[in-house]
Amino acid sequence: MSTIIHLKNLVKIYQVGEEQVHALNGISLTINKNEYVAIMGPSGSGKSTLMNIIGCLDTPTSGLYELNGKNVSAMNDNQLAKIRNKEIGFVFQTFNLLPRSDVLHNVELPLIYGGVNSVERKKLARIAIDRVGLSDRIHHKPNELSGGQRQRVAIARALVTKPSILLADEPTGNLDSKTGEEIMELFDELHRDGNTVIIVTHEEDIAAHAHRRIRLRDGRIEKDEKEKRY
């Protein structure tokens, strides 16, 4: 299997006033293409910091991060922004949709940033919207949609650039349990279709959908459990 994420001795230290906070203390792990991974841990365990580094939203204090064979730990902000746009599809707990824009425009946003022409990006956006089952809501605004539908729009936006990884931060955190389960079933489908899925969560039932669970405590990997698949 080909490696998509390689982390070696990752350390992240934040300066808070005069105090140094060690958010990550030497994380080393490898994630392969088409893995389905849950990153877990209590508040303060380092899981959000790790997600931000994997998502190229932050850089480590020291250590190596390679994404698809590229050393992103040494990149500047502009280079990281390009990698984020091309390689990573983000799904956030709060959806992060533009309230005045319809579904189509929200989904095509990463393609606008990527410089894709109007005809092509509308075509790709429609394919992604259809993939999450919202073709009949394409011209609706976020306030005309349910929470579950808004999260589906966010997933379509994450998919539209055909990223290397789908990175979801507590993707069901703002949803009731039934809707949350429907969203997790969609992630299961996307994984079966060949997508690499990484979910950051503190909920056991959400993590149970993944085939590998990485548990953090105090900025270190406490457990790395893989399901046996026959």
Side-chain angles (χ1 to χ4, degrees):
M1 291 183 84
S2 57
T3 297
I4 205 160
I5 287 170
H6 175 62
L7 308 177
K8 190 168 183 190
N9 295 329
L10 220 59
V11 172
K12 182 65 181 183
I13 300 168
Y14 292 107
Q15 194 72 34
V16 181
E18 293 185 2
E19 191 187 351
Q20 285 195 336
V21 177
H22 290 251
L24 297 178
N25 291 304
I27 298 271
S28 295
L29 68 92
T30 296
I31 295 173
N32 292 322
K33 195 170 172 21
N34 196 29
E35 275 204 88
Y36 192 170
V37 180
I39 295 173
M40 304 186 69
S43 184
S45 62
K47 65 181 187 296
S48 295
T49 302
L50 182 58
M51 183 200 73
N52 287 340
I53 290 174
I54 288 173
C56 297
L57 294 164
D58 200 356
T59 51
T61 306
S62 64
L64 176 73
Y65 172 24
E66 288 180 341
L67 176 61
N68 266 338
K70 299 185 191 101
N71 182 4
V72 294
S73 41
M75 288 184 178
N76 63 34
D77 287 349
N78 285 342
Q79 291 169 316
L80 286 173
K82 280 185 186 164
I83 289 278
R84 270 199 308 273
N85 185 261
K86 187 170 178 293
E87 303 273 5
I88 299 155
F90 289 101
V91 181
F92 296 102
Q93 180 177 347
T94 50
F95 319 135
N96 288 12
L97 302 176
L98 296 178
R100 292 195 180 90
S101 296
D102 65 11
V103 169
L104 182 66
H105 185 67
N106 267 292
V107 172
E108 61 177 346
L109 265 183
L111 300 173
I112 293 171
Y113 295 138
V116 178
N117 72 65
S118 176
V119 173
E120 180 68 7
R121 69 174 184 253
K122 281 184 168 45
K123 183 180 97 177
L124 292 169
R126 285 175 188 276
I127 291 168
I129 291 163
D130 184 54
R131 180 68 194 79
V132 301
L134 283 182
S135 292
D136 59 338
R137 296 282 191 275
I138 202 158
H139 295 302
H140 285 57
K141 303 240 171 82
N143 67 354
E144 300 168 317
L145 303 172
S146 69
Q149 287 169 334
R150 286 182 214 177
Q151 193 59 296
R152 284 174 185 271
V153 176
I155 292 168
R157 181 185 57 197
L159 285 172
V160 78
T161 57
K162 300 189 175 121
S164 297
I165 54 174
L166 278 175
L167 187 55
D169 180 19
E170 303 280 6
T172 62
N174 278 347
L175 305 172
D176 63 68
S177 56
K178 180 176 179 292
T179 310
E181 190 55 36
E182 287 167 6
I183 290 298
M184 291 313 300
E185 282 169 15
L186 177 55
F187 277 113
D188 296 349
E189 274 177 44
L190 294 171
H191 172 255
R192 284 195 294 272
D193 287 348
N195 289 283
T196 306
V197 179
I198 301 171
I199 289 178
V200 178
T201 183
H202 66 280
E203 296 183 61
E204 293 288 343
D205 58 332
I206 299 303
H209 284 261
H211 300 148
R212 179 181 177 190
R213 288 174 278 286
I214 296 167
R215 296 173 192 271
L216 301 186
R217 185 172 294 277
D218 301 328
R220 292 187 173 88
I221 293 175
E222 184 180 52
K223 277 186 188 165
D224 187 346
E225 306 162 309
K226 283 188 190 179
E227 276 180 12
K228 288 189 176 76
R229 281 187 277 168
Y230 299 98

